[in-house]
Amino acid sequence: MKILTLPLLAALASAQITPDRIRNAASEPQNWLTYNGGYAGTHHSALAQIQAGNVAGLQLEWVWQARSIEKFETTPLVVDGVMYFTGPPNTIVAIDARTARVYWSYTHPLPEITYPCCGKVNRGLAILDKTLYMGTLDAKLIAIDAVSGRRKWE
């Protein structure tokens, strides 16, 4: 796990996802608070910065290199400039959405023998307050502190 600097820790600590924020997710198009983007389940962002007239001028801003060659099948969450996503089989990463700087990563260890049906993929993340929740490939539910990346419970 990476150590956060004090200003980064303060920025992450200020973000808290309440039930009201999730219920009103459409009023925060810069965030992606659930798998669907919000309770409406549209999988659509209301952001309008990318349009037919400017798409040709888009440029690559950053690349984050995964440490796995397995497939990624989950939707990242974006909360106040922090992108949380999962990678196979049970890794959670928190990065700065503007720069791809890694704030922290957490890996839930798998038992030596696991029988996944469809590849080493997990079901992604949910967030409430300052806690991330992930259903792991070995059928456990874990809670991770969204600020520090430390496991709260399993």
Side-chain angles (χ1 to χ4, degrees):
M1 179 165 40
K2 305 219 179 217
I3 303 299
L4 299 174
T5 63
L6 209 45
L8 292 175
L9 187 60
L12 289 172
S14 67
Q16 184 165 347
I17 303 305
T18 63
D20 282 339
R21 280 187 77 183
I22 295 172
R23 200 173 7 264
N24 300 308
S27 68
E28 300 182 42
Q30 74 282 10
N31 290 316
W32 197 261
L33 303 179
T34 71
Y35 165 78
N36 294 317
Y39 284 145
T42 63
H43 293 268
H44 174 77
S45 171
L47 294 175
Q49 289 93 335
I50 300 173
Q51 301 170 2
N54 66 9
V55 73
L58 293 177
Q59 298 179 32
L60 180 66
E61 288 292 318
W62 54 260
V63 173
W64 180 81
Q65 183 62 53
R67 294 184 180 160
S68 173
I69 59 172
E70 294 284 339
K71 54 192 166 187
F72 283 62
E73 293 188 355
T74 63
T75 301
L77 301 178
V78 179
V79 179
D80 302 330
V82 180
M83 181 181 288
Y84 301 98
F85 59 92
T86 63
N90 287 322
T91 299
I92 303 171
V93 181
I95 66 171
D96 183 319
R98 294 191 186 278
T99 66
R101 177 180 178 183
V102 175
Y103 293 134
W104 56 259
S105 65
Y106 172 84
T107 300
H108 173 77
L110 278 176
E112 196 168 311
I113 299 174
T114 307
Y115 300 100
C117 74
C118 309
K120 291 186 175 181
V121 295
N122 59 67
R123 298 294 176 234
L125 295 170
I127 190 167
L128 186 61
D129 296 323
K130 294 180 184 178
T131 304
L132 294 162
Y133 300 91
M134 180 173 77
T136 66
L137 189 60
D138 56 333
K140 294 183 178 171
L141 179 63
I142 60 172
I144 304 296
D145 183 280
V147 177
S148 69
R150 291 192 172 97
R151 186 180 71 197
K152 291 182 166 187
W153 52 259
E154 176 180 315

